[in-house]
Amino acid sequence: MNHRFLTASLAAVALTLSAESGAETTLSIGTVNNGDMIIMQKLSQQFEAQNPDIKLDWVVLEENVLRQRLTTDIATGSGQFDVVTIGTYEVPIWAKRGWLEGLDNLPADYDVDDVLMAVREGLSYEGKLYALPFYAESSLTFYRTDLFEKAGLTMPDQPTWDVVKQFAAKLTDKDAGIYGICLRGKPGWGENMALISTMVHTFGGQWFDENWNPTIDSPEWKNAVGTYIDLLTEYGPPGASSNGFNENLALFTSGKCAMWIDATVAAGLVFDPAESQVADKVGFAQAPIAKTPKGNHWLWSWALAIPTSSDAKDAALKFITWATSKPYVELVGEKFGWAKVPPGTRKSTYENPLYVEAAPFAKPVLEAIQTANPSDQTLNPAPYTGIQYVGIAEFQGIGTQVGQMMAGVLAGQMSVDNALRSAQSSVKRTMRQAGYPK
């Protein structure tokens, strides 16, 4: 037999087998177990039907676990994930380190100019977009209108933390299983510290002074954390130190909380009669203020990004543009109801009469997102950006450690003063080891 013919034949077979084996690309997607992401997972069958050569493999995790897994994977370059769900904290830090693909090759029909400017800026580094927003949020005060009416109380459009505390005292009825307030207590830089950081800022405090010295043992921190601990200890549900966003959502929608201060993304769930037992009894106001309105409400986006370690970047780009597009928003509206579309990302969503009619919270949510300023969040000058976090790589460890101390206070394991002193000492040591000031 002709050896050249045999070699050519074998090469042709190898190419055919290679083409066949590569016909299907599997995308590994790491995401959080929030309601909007669960909807995305359900609707992803439509994406697979439109793209039969792409198979989606989902890794859905609780928030703290997800952050740990994704950070480890991307820092080591192991390439386990092709699409990662990250936020405004991670994007600029990871982009600077070269861990994320730049997204300057978006299809024209994606209409990136339709994405809200505040959200685009939060997901950019040096003017370049590195993640696409799945949803964006700020924070609001949710409350039970029926309980307020029964108690003869009126929620102002802009409550103070003092007023919230007074209301919580009057609305708590532990015998009836009604708690005056529910707040995040689960430790984590993106769990309890998200709320506590906004409280510290509006009480006039900050994480660091202009020279990167920690200020955690300041009177402002003591006032903010003291208020937080008093609220949950006296008027909150039992086991509050285990409650994050999802746990408090379940408590509120089952009628256990008179007030809840948390992410605006909850609005679509608490107003949904299929999800919430109190859907027709919910009111909302802006997040509470104390000494200053600065930093009282946060800005966040859960976004989809492509690690540079992925070997399926083209397929990943197809998926993230699909899941954050205008047609996807319309798909959610048609399948699950307009009140449940991913909020906070696109101007067109807030210009859509179907959404505005279905979502009484649309205007205040948009206002909260557009007025949150991560670069002007403190009463006194500060060297960092971020409202519910500090935009430096070290904060993930710092915030989680301080969050564990705050949960310890909530669980009665230490006093506020001792916790703040310990946190101050620990953060000071961490910052010195990291070479601050830089």
Side-chain angles (χ1 to χ4, degrees):
M1 179 181 263
N2 186 308
H3 288 290
R4 286 185 180 177
F5 176 78
L6 178 60
T7 303
S9 299
L10 289 172
V13 170
L15 283 170
T16 304
L17 289 172
S18 174
E20 287 175 355
S21 63
E24 187 177 85
T25 300
T26 298
L27 286 182
S28 180
I29 303 169
T31 196
V32 67
N33 64 340
N34 290 351
D36 290 87
M37 279 68 175
I38 292 167
I39 288 175
M40 174 172 61
Q41 194 178 355
K42 289 176 181 175
L43 291 176
S44 64
Q45 292 174 354
Q46 301 221 11
F47 173 82
E48 289 179 312
Q50 294 165 14
N51 299 272
D53 56 332
I54 301 173
K55 182 177 181 295
L56 306 179
D57 180 28
W58 293 88
V59 180
V60 184
L61 300 166
E62 184 269 332
E63 188 170 317
N64 286 338
V65 178
L66 175 79
R67 286 184 163 131
Q68 198 171 31
R69 281 276 299 277
L70 295 186
T71 303
T72 301
D73 178 73
I74 203 160
T76 57
S78 67
Q80 182 183 349
F81 296 100
D82 301 297
V83 174
V84 291
T85 306
I86 55 177
T88 50
Y89 166 71
E90 294 96 345
V91 169
I93 295 171
W94 291 10
K96 183 179 181 180
R97 293 182 171 183
W99 292 349
L100 301 177
E101 284 292 301
L103 301 176
D104 49 3
N105 56 341
L106 297 172
D109 61 359
Y110 183 76
D111 193 3
V112 72
D113 291 334
D114 185 49
V115 178
L116 295 172
M117 180 61 75
V119 179
R120 262 190 287 163
E121 288 176 349
L123 299 175
S124 297
Y125 173 66
E126 294 187 341
K128 186 175 180 179
L129 202 59
Y130 281 87
L132 301 181
F134 183 66
Y135 71 75
E137 65 183 29
S138 185
S139 45
L140 281 181
T141 302
F142 301 98
Y143 66 96
R144 287 274 301 279
T145 54
D146 56 330
L147 298 179
F148 268 69
E149 188 177 336
K150 184 180 175 183
L153 302 173
T154 302
M155 174 68 81
D157 292 337
Q158 177 62 85
T160 65
W161 280 104
D162 283 343
V163 165
V164 165
K165 195 170 182 179
Q166 293 166 25
F167 288 167
K170 292 178 181 176
L171 293 165
T172 299
D173 185 355
K174 293 183 180 179
D175 291 339
I178 303 290
Y179 302 96
I181 194 160
C182 290
L183 300 170
R184 297 187 188 191
K186 180 185 287 186
W189 71 264
E191 281 282 8
N192 62 347
M193 292 316 298
L195 176 73
I196 291 172
S197 292
T198 62
M199 292 183 71
V200 167
H201 285 142
T202 194
F203 272 82
Q206 56 205 74
W207 276 90
F208 301 98
D209 68 16
E210 286 185 283
N211 297 314
W212 289 104
N213 296 305
T215 59
I216 300 171
D217 57 355
S218 65
E220 292 82 6
W221 268 80
K222 185 173 180 179
N223 290 338
V225 173
T227 299
Y228 166 80
I229 296 296
D230 287 347
L231 280 166
L232 281 177
T233 303
E234 296 176 34
Y235 314 118
S241 60
S242 299
N243 294 340
F245 172 81
N246 284 325
E247 291 81 7
N248 282 317
L249 174 64
L251 284 166
F252 190 87
T253 54
S254 62
K256 302 291 185 185
C257 309
M259 292 181 289
W260 179 32
I261 294 130
D262 213 304
T264 55
V265 73
L269 302 170
V270 300
F271 278 91
D272 181 2
E275 302 265 354
S276 173
Q277 296 174 27
V278 295
D280 59 343
K281 305 177 183 69
V282 179
F284 43 85
Q286 293 300 320
I289 60 172
K291 187 175 181 179
T292 174
K294 288 189 175 187
N296 75 309
H297 60 291
W298 67 63
L299 178 65
W300 179 257
S301 173
W302 277 118
L304 304 177
I306 305 169
T308 52
S309 55
S310 167
D311 59 2
K313 295 183 181 71
D314 289 345
L317 183 63
K318 273 189 183 179
F319 176 76
I320 69 171
T321 51
W322 172 82
T324 60
S325 64
K326 290 181 189 177
Y328 178 84
V329 171
E330 291 169 7
L331 184 62
V332 177
E334 291 164 6
K335 298 285 185 182
F336 291 90
W338 279 95
K340 296 184 79 169
V341 304
T345 59
R346 289 185 168 272
K347 299 173 200 170
S348 54
T349 301
Y350 292 88
E351 293 164 357
N352 188 324
L354 293 172
Y355 180 65
V356 173
E357 183 182 348
F361 47 82
K363 188 177 178 182
V365 167
L366 183 61
E367 180 187 346
I369 289 171
Q370 292 180 321
T371 57
N373 188 345
S375 300
D376 186 24
Q377 77 290 49
T378 57
L379 185 60
N380 297 312
Y384 59 89
T385 58
I387 300 174
Q388 79 280 26
Y389 58 82
V390 177
I392 57 173
E394 293 77 12
F395 185 74
Q396 189 162 350
I398 286 170
T400 296
Q401 187 175 28
V402 176
Q404 288 166 345
M405 293 178 187
M406 298 303 104
V409 177
L410 198 53
Q413 297 166 359
M414 64 179 88
S415 69
V416 171
D417 285 347
N418 285 342
L420 294 180
R421 275 197 298 269
S422 295
Q424 172 75 8
S425 176
S426 172
V427 174
K428 192 173 184 178
R429 184 167 56 251
T430 299
M431 295 298 282
R432 188 170 60 245
Q433 290 170 349
Y436 283 85
K438 292 186 175 181

